[in-house]
Amino acid sequence: MDTTTIYRNLMAVGLLGTVYRTADDAELINDVIESTLAEPLQFRVCRAVVSGMAGIGDVARGSLSAHVEAHPEDEAARLALAISLILAGDAEGKRAVEGLLVTTTDTAVRETAHNMLELIQREPALLN
């Protein structure tokens, strides 16, 4: 088995562990993986979204917050963080999406943000 396959398997185990709420083991695996990646942003986005899906807002926030604070111009990362928070039921995510809609000129970010707000309107229980 090559190292790429091993990394992918570890990532899958860590992210699935997050979804199935085996938090301690998943956190350890995810932290180790993230610390070994030269460019961890894509993994952080995946980790944040999966954490949001699992209702773990703190992990979703922690996974991307430092990057977003250091790179506020990275609207895609800001949107991923906001969506993760929405999935975790955190109303701060909705406010962040609304803020992006006001400021962004990126068509893909605008469209996704708009779609998320429509989803929240149809499914208000997302933020409960």
Side-chain angles (χ1 to χ4, degrees):
M1 189 177 299
D2 64 25
T3 56
T4 302
T5 303
I6 292 170
Y7 262 86
R8 285 186 181 152
N9 289 343
L10 281 172
M11 287 178 184
V13 167
L15 295 175
L16 284 170
T18 300
V19 169
Y20 289 109
R21 297 177 190 233
T22 56
D24 294 338
D25 294 335
E27 279 301 298
L28 177 62
I29 291 168
N30 290 330
D31 287 345
V32 167
I33 291 167
E34 191 172 308
S35 71
T36 62
L37 295 172
E39 296 294 328
L41 182 59
Q42 184 177 0
F43 182 73
R44 286 181 184 152
V45 168
C46 292
R47 186 177 182 182
V49 171
V50 167
S51 298
M53 291 170 58
I56 310 170
D58 290 342
V59 173
R61 184 178 286 106
S63 187
L64 277 178
S65 289
H67 175 79
V68 168
E69 288 172 14
H71 305 279
E73 75 286 352
D74 188 345
E75 293 176 332
R78 289 174 47 206
L79 182 61
L81 175 58
I83 290 171
S84 300
L85 294 175
I86 289 168
L87 292 172
D90 188 330
E92 183 182 325
K94 180 182 180 213
R95 289 187 293 278
V97 169
E98 290 169 337
L100 269 171
L101 256 176
V102 170
T103 61
T104 188
T105 58
D106 183 309
T107 305
V109 169
R110 288 188 65 74
E111 185 176 326
T112 304
H114 181 70
N115 289 341
M116 283 307 299
L117 291 178
E118 284 182 353
L119 176 64
I120 292 168
Q121 189 172 17
R122 285 192 314 268
E123 302 291 334
L126 279 172
L127 297 179
N128 291 330

